[in-house]
Amino acid sequence: MPSPDSSRGSLTSEDVRRHNLGLVALALTSGPLSRSELALETGLTRGAITSLSAELIEHEIVRESDRIAPEGRGRPKTLLELSATDVALIIATLDADRVEAVVSTLDGQRLARFSRRHGRPIGDPGPVVDALAQVVSEALAHAASVGRPLADLSVVVWAPVGGSPAVVLADTDLGWERVDLIGLLQQRLPRLRAAQIPLIADTSVAALEEHADAGSPPHLVYLKSDSGIGGAVFADGRALTGAAGWAGMLGHLPVIADGALCECGQHGCLVTVAGPDALLANAGLTDVADTDGLDAALERFVTGVRDGRRGFVDAWAVALPHVARTLQIALLTVGADHVVLGGYLAAFAEDIADELARIAVRAGGATPPQVTASRLGADAALLGAERAARLRMIDTLLG
C-alpha cells in the first residue's frame, strides 16, 4: 500500500481512504495504541481515526484490547490492537556470503531465524538456491510447528532486480547473469509453486527504512557496503529509480579515470577500490572472508583500522577519497544535504564526514552535508522487507 502520489493527479477518495486505513493498521504493528496516540502517530485527525478504526474493527483487522491505558489526567483510554496476528510472515534474504530466513508476525514479533553460509566464490546459482531452499524449508516447518499458517513469503536479494515476473539481473557480487531466483526456489520447494513470492532488491527496502529512520529528509544520499556497494538517492522525499531502475547504483559509478576493470565492464567503478573484496584484499584478509565470512572479515578490518594497524589503515586510506568523491558527485547532482552510511562504511562515518568537508571547502565553500551512521545496522533490508510484507497483508485483509 504505497503512499498516495500527488503527482499522478488521479487520486480518488477511495485511494486516500485505503491509504489511511493502511496507515492506521501499520501504526498498530508496533503494539497497541489508543485512538489519540494513533492520531499523533499518523498525523490524522481524531475524527478520521474514529471512522477508520471502526472500519478496521468491522473487517476484523483491528480489535479493542482488554488492556486500558491511562492518558494524562483524563479518563483511561481503550487501546486498539491488531487482531489478525496468528499468522507467519517469512522474509528470506540472500547476499554474496549467506542466506537467511526470518519468521515474524504481523505485529512485529520475531519467532525464529535460520541462517547458513553458501560459500565463496559463487558464480553457479544452483548451490546458493539449494541453501536458500533449506533455510526457507526450516522457516516453513517452524511456522507450522507453532501453529501459524504462512501469510506472506518474500525473498530479498543483494542484487539488482527487474522484469515481470521479477528476476535477478546480472550481478557482479554474486557472479550471476540473469537468474530466475523465484522459479529455481519453487522447483526445489514444490509446495510454493502456486505462491506469489515477491523478489526484492535489498537496497530498495533498506534505503526506505534508512530514510524514514533519518527523519525523512527531502534530499538524502544513502551509501552502504556489505557484500558489495549499493546506494539510493532521495530527491523531494522520493527515492529516484530512473527509467530502467538503475538510479542510485553508486558502487558502479566510475570515479577513477582508467581505473581497474570492473566485472560490470566499466573501468574505475567505486566497488573496484572500496568494495569489500578489494578492501579486504588490500588488507590481506581475503582468506578470512573465505573461511569465516565477509561479516567477520569486515569486522576484523574495522578493528584493525581503529587500532592503527598499518596494513589496514593503508587500505582504508586508498578507499576513503574515492568513497567521498562518489558521495560528493551524488550530493551535488541532486542538491542533497544528508548522507546515511550503512554496512562497514557506518564505522567510518567520521572519516567520511571529514573528507567530504575538505572537498566541500576546496570546491568553493559549500556547506558540508550532515553525515550519519546507520542505526539499523545489517537488518535495514530485513526491517524494510518486513514492513512491506505487513503492508501487503493489510492490503489483502482490506479486500
Side-chain angles (χ1 to χ4, degrees):
M1 185 177 302
S3 299
D5 183 349
S6 59
S7 67
R8 285 162 41 196
S10 58
L11 285 177
T12 66
S13 59
E14 175 65 12
D15 293 326
V16 175
R17 182 188 69 84
R18 287 182 67 85
H19 169 70
N20 289 342
L21 285 167
L23 278 182
V24 174
L26 188 61
L28 291 172
T29 62
S30 60
L33 296 171
S34 69
R35 288 171 175 80
S36 59
E37 288 172 332
L38 279 169
L40 290 173
E41 182 75 18
T42 62
L44 299 171
T45 65
R46 279 293 302 271
I49 292 296
T50 298
S51 174
L52 293 166
S53 60
E55 187 169 351
L56 289 168
I57 290 171
E58 182 180 348
H59 279 83
E60 298 184 346
I61 299 172
V62 168
R63 65 188 172 208
E64 291 191 339
S65 173
D66 293 335
R67 290 185 288 167
I68 302 294
E71 286 203 358
R73 298 181 180 178
R75 294 186 305 168
K77 304 296 182 181
T78 301
L79 296 177
L80 299 177
E81 63 185 8
L82 292 173
S83 57
T85 58
D86 56 346
V87 295
L89 310 176
I90 296 178
I91 311 296
T93 64
L94 185 161
D95 64 23
D97 194 59
R98 67 176 56 246
V99 291
E100 289 192 331
V102 175
V103 186
S104 60
T105 63
L106 185 61
D107 55 356
Q109 299 178 62
R110 295 265 178 88
L111 302 179
R113 190 167 190 160
F114 304 92
S115 176
R116 67 181 59 230
R117 289 191 63 212
H118 51 65
R120 293 159 59 87
I122 311 174
D124 178 6
V128 180
V129 184
D130 289 341
L132 179 66
Q134 180 62 42
V135 296
V136 170
S137 182
E138 291 170 346
L140 289 168
H142 182 83
S145 72
V146 295
R148 290 182 179 266
L150 178 66
D152 190 274
L153 167 63
S154 57
V155 176
V156 181
V157 60
W158 268 242
V161 169
S164 182
V167 298
V168 176
L169 303 178
D171 182 70
T172 57
D173 299 321
L174 291 169
W176 290 358
E177 296 300 325
R178 192 179 183 92
V179 173
D180 180 6
L181 182 59
I182 299 302
L184 292 174
L185 178 64
Q186 290 173 322
Q187 286 178 14
R188 287 159 173 79
L189 297 175
R191 74 187 95 169
L192 297 178
R193 283 180 179 167
Q196 297 295 317
I197 305 174
L199 179 64
I200 305 166
D202 73 295
T203 302
S204 65
V205 283
L208 292 174
E209 205 69 13
E210 295 283 13
H211 181 245
D213 189 65
S216 302
H219 306 287
L220 177 143
V221 175
Y222 170 56
L223 186 69
K224 60 100 177 175
S225 181
D226 30 47
S227 61
I229 296 183
V233 177
F234 289 82
D236 296 324
R238 302 183 183 205
L240 302 180
T241 56
W246 294 87
M249 293 187 64
L250 302 179
H252 290 285
L253 189 63
V255 292
I256 308 170
D258 301 320
L261 177 65
C262 181
E263 290 183 31
C264 75
Q266 301 183 119
H267 285 268
C269 293
L270 177 64
V271 72
T272 65
V273 69
D277 288 338
L279 198 74
L280 296 175
N282 288 341
L285 291 172
T286 298
D287 289 345
V288 176
D290 291 339
T291 57
D292 298 340
L294 276 174
D295 290 346
L298 286 170
E299 183 177 346
R300 185 177 298 188
F301 174 79
V302 169
T303 300
V305 174
R306 286 175 171 165
D307 290 345
R309 295 180 60 183
R310 182 167 180 179
F312 297 77
V313 172
D314 290 346
W316 175 234
V318 170
L320 173 58
H322 300 298
V323 171
R325 185 174 298 111
T326 299
L327 286 169
Q328 185 70 350
I329 291 169
L331 290 164
L332 290 174
T333 299
V334 297
D337 53 2
H338 284 71
V339 172
V340 173
L341 299 167
Y344 89 84
L345 294 172
F348 299 115
E350 187 174 342
D351 289 354
I352 294 169
D354 289 345
E355 183 67 11
L356 278 171
R358 187 181 68 82
I359 292 174
V361 169
R362 210 169 56 195
T367 302
Q370 177 181 330
V371 179
T372 57
S374 167
R375 298 188 303 178
L376 305 180
D379 274 354
L382 174 61
L383 290 166
E386 285 179 327
R387 179 189 293 268
R390 293 183 194 121
L391 284 169
R392 283 192 300 273
M393 185 175 172
I394 290 167
D395 200 48
T396 298
L397 292 170
L398 288 172

